[in-house]
């Protein structure tokens, strides 16, 4: 069921921050990431991914510019895997890449008309001591560790991080734990559909595989969201009179008596397919965006 609440702030203690600074930041990361930093405007942010040489996704992140570099926001488990990979060749460039999670406080802002509490317009909104990244009707608020929230945000009720993860799943955003790093090519988590892959940007690590999946139609899977009463065990789908295991579970979170789950399954999935987990019916949620090829 859709998440409908009044404006709410969610402290995101499990969202880590990688900071890259230095004169070679853009040129170095341009050859590492799936997103195009050259074309990223100073007042914009983007989804992006970082792959290994085989094109398997290490991390998916939100990236925004700061004065002398960029910040990349991702679940902390992904950071554990990605920071060493990003630093592998950084020594040959004038760039410093570090875990800056302790230097920032990160919040999720969501709820009806929640964005009206933020000043300005556009996808990146400056705050005193921080910035807000607008993502649809939601926002990620990044504040310096020693800065105070704006009064309008500080006055909001706060909820547990499960609410934000449920909203990420509902919105089709790629939230996953460290155990799933290097399990998927980026398109399997719909990264291209949300603007995290630019196919015209030139070479980067894993680019050959990622491009082949796009231009030759090699990718057969996509990420879906479902919800239903909390239950354990494998997600199953009905095929005729039989049930079989359905895809790979990516993320799950309980909110409002429902469990929201993200699952990678076949792109050819019929929209009226029946699902269950244990004895509980699971409902396939409408995709909030078309896949890149559609």
């Amino acid at each position: 069921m859709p998440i409908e609440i009044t404006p709410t702030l969610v402290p995101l203690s499990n969202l880590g921050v990688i900071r890259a600074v230095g004169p070679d930041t853009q040129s170095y990361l341009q050859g590492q990431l799936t997103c195009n930093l050259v074309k990223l405007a100073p007042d914009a942010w983007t989804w992006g991914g970082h792959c290994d040489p085989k094109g398997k996704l290490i991390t998916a992140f939100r990236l925004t510019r700061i004065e002398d570099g960029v910040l990349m926001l991702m679940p902390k488990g992904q950071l554990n895997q990605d920071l060493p990979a990003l630093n592998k060749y950084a020594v040959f460039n004038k760039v410093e890449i570090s875990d800056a999670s302790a230097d920032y406080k990160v919040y999720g802002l969501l709820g009806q008309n929640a964005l009206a509490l933020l000043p300005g317009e556009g996808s990146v909104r400056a705050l005193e001591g921080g910035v807000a990244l607008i993502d649809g009707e939601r926002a990620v608020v990044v504040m310096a560790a020693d800065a105070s929230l704006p009064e309008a945000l500080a006055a909001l009720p706060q909820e547990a991080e499960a609410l934000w993860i449920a909203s990420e799943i509902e919105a089709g955003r790629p939230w996953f734990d460290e155990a799933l790093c290097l399990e998927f090519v980026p398109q399997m988590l719909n990264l291209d559909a949300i603007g995290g892959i630019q196919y015209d940007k030139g070479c980067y690590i894993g680019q050959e595989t990622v491009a082949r999946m796009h231009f030759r139609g090699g990718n057969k899977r996509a990420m879906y969201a479902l919800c239903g009463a909390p239950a354990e065990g494998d997600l199953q789908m009905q095929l005729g009179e039989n049930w079989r295991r359905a895809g790979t579970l990516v993320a799950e979170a309980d909110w409002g008596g429902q469990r929201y789950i993200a699952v990678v399954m076949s792109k050819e999935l019929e929209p009226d397919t029946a699902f269950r987990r244990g004895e509980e019916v699971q409902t396939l949620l409408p995709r909030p965006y078309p896949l890149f090829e559609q």
Side-chain angles (χ1 to χ4, degrees), residues 141-194:
V141 178
V142 185
M143 302 294 298
D146 58 355
S148 299
L149 281 166
E151 290 185 8
L153 301 186
L156 292 176
Q158 297 191 6
E159 289 288 354
E161 197 165 25
L163 169 58
W164 181 256
I165 298 174
S167 78
E168 290 278 82
I169 293 170
E170 182 187 46
R173 296 336 191 211
W175 182 289
F176 58 94
D177 292 331
E178 183 176 1
L180 292 179
C181 294
L182 299 172
E183 286 294 315
F184 306 105
V185 296
Q187 294 96 328
M188 292 177 183
L189 298 180
N190 306 352
L191 192 62
D192 53 347
I194 58 174

Side-chain angles (χ1 to χ4, degrees), residues 26 29-41 44-49 61 63 65 195-204:
Q26 178 166 292
L29 293 182
Q30 184 74 356
Q32 295 282 320
L33 309 179
T34 62
C35 52
N36 194 336
L37 272 71
V38 172
K39 293 186 177 180
L40 181 64
W45 69 275
T46 184
W47 277 98
F61 50 80
L63 180 149
R65 293 190 183 279
I197 305 173
Q198 278 77 57
Y199 291 107
D200 61 350
K201 64 160 284 186
C203 294
Y204 55 87

